């Protein structure tokens, strides 16, 4: 899962060059993600197993989620904001499941690793959630300025999908 989103985070960090707070959060998330990927690859090995088909499937779902969540959005900031927040919540769900599974199986070390990662994922989700409105407002202002229009109720349903 973690390895699957590294390239996406690298692109998003590059896209956020003019937004220092956003870029810092994404860069932090990128470093954490790489660290988590290593830790999670070691978990099955410590039990005498290997990276499973299920893990590969979860990774593919994470990448698919990123694509589906933003396929209709044209503007990079809107698209990235949606993808980042959705992906973070997907990761929270996965690590919640992994923590519970490891705990039920009596794998305390793996459960502790998953729990620590889950805590950081929740913190990152809160960071991204706090940045989300500011990022969207920035795009709305640009859109209004470009078209010299005021917002109407119809714009609220169209903007996330149609911002250019």
């Amino acid at each position: 899962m973690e390895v699957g989103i590294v390239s996406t985070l690298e692109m998003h960090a590059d896209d956020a060059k003019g937004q220092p707070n956003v870029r810092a959060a994404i860069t932090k998330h990128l470093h954490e993600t790489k660290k988590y990927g290593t830790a999670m690859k070691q978990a099955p090995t410590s039990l005498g197993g290997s990276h499973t088909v299920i893990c590969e499937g979860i990774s593919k779902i994470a990448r698919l989620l990123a694509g589906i969540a933003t396929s209709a959005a044209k503007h990079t900031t809107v698209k990235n904001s949606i993808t980042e927040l959705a992906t973070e919540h997907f990761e929270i769900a996965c690590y919640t499941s992994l923590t519970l599974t490891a705990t039920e199986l009596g794998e305390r070390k793996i459960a502790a690793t998953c729990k620590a990662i889950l805590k950081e994922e929740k913190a990152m989700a809160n960071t991204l959630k706090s940045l989300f409105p500011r990022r969207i407002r920035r795009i709305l202002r640009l859109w209004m300025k470009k078209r010299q229009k005021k917002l109407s109720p119809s714009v609220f349903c169209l903007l996330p999908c149609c911002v250019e």
Side-chain angles (χ1 to χ4, degrees):
M1 172 176 55
E2 297 294 349
V3 175
I5 65 169
V6 167
S7 60
T8 301
L9 289 172
E10 289 170 340
M11 287 187 291
H12 288 200
D14 195 45
D15 291 339
K17 282 181 183 167
Q19 303 168 67
N21 291 344
V22 173
R23 188 171 186 167
I26 294 169
T27 301
K28 180 179 187 244
H29 190 208
L30 176 61
H31 294 301
E32 290 173 349
T33 297
K34 288 178 180 178
K35 180 179 73 175
Y36 304 154
T38 301
M40 293 315 297
K41 277 187 177 182
Q42 291 171 351
T45 306
S46 72
L47 300 173
S50 63
H51 198 63
T52 66
V53 173
I54 293 170
C55 293
E56 292 298 327
I58 290 173
S59 182
K60 287 178 184 176
I61 290 170
R63 287 192 299 272
L64 181 63
L65 174 66
I68 289 172
T70 62
S71 60
K74 293 180 184 177
H75 197 283
T76 302
T77 299
V78 172
K79 180 174 59 173
N80 290 356
S81 298
I82 292 168
T83 301
E84 291 152 9
L85 202 53
T87 301
E88 204 58 41
H89 285 280
F90 178 77
E91 289 179 305
I92 289 168
C94 289
Y95 282 111
T96 299
S97 175
L98 289 168
T99 301
L100 292 169
T101 301
T103 301
E104 288 297 313
L105 294 174
E107 296 296 335
R108 290 186 210 160
K109 186 175 179 185
I110 294 172
T113 299
C114 292
K115 199 175 214 178
I117 293 171
L118 179 59
K119 181 180 177 182
E120 290 184 14
E121 294 290 2
K122 287 179 178 180
M124 183 54 64
N126 287 334
T127 298
L128 293 172
K129 186 178 177 181
S130 72
L131 292 169
F132 194 83
R134 192 174 331 147
R135 294 173 81 183
I136 301 303
R137 282 187 196 107
R138 178 177 170 263
I139 295 307
L140 288 172
R141 278 190 229 104
L142 291 172
W143 184 84
M144 289 186 298
K145 184 178 179 180
K146 183 177 178 182
R147 288 167 181 75
Q148 297 179 354
K149 294 181 179 181
K150 292 185 178 180
L151 288 178
S152 68
S154 63
V155 172
F156 289 102
C157 2
L158 299 174
L159 264 175
C161 298
C162 301
V163 174
E164 298 171 12

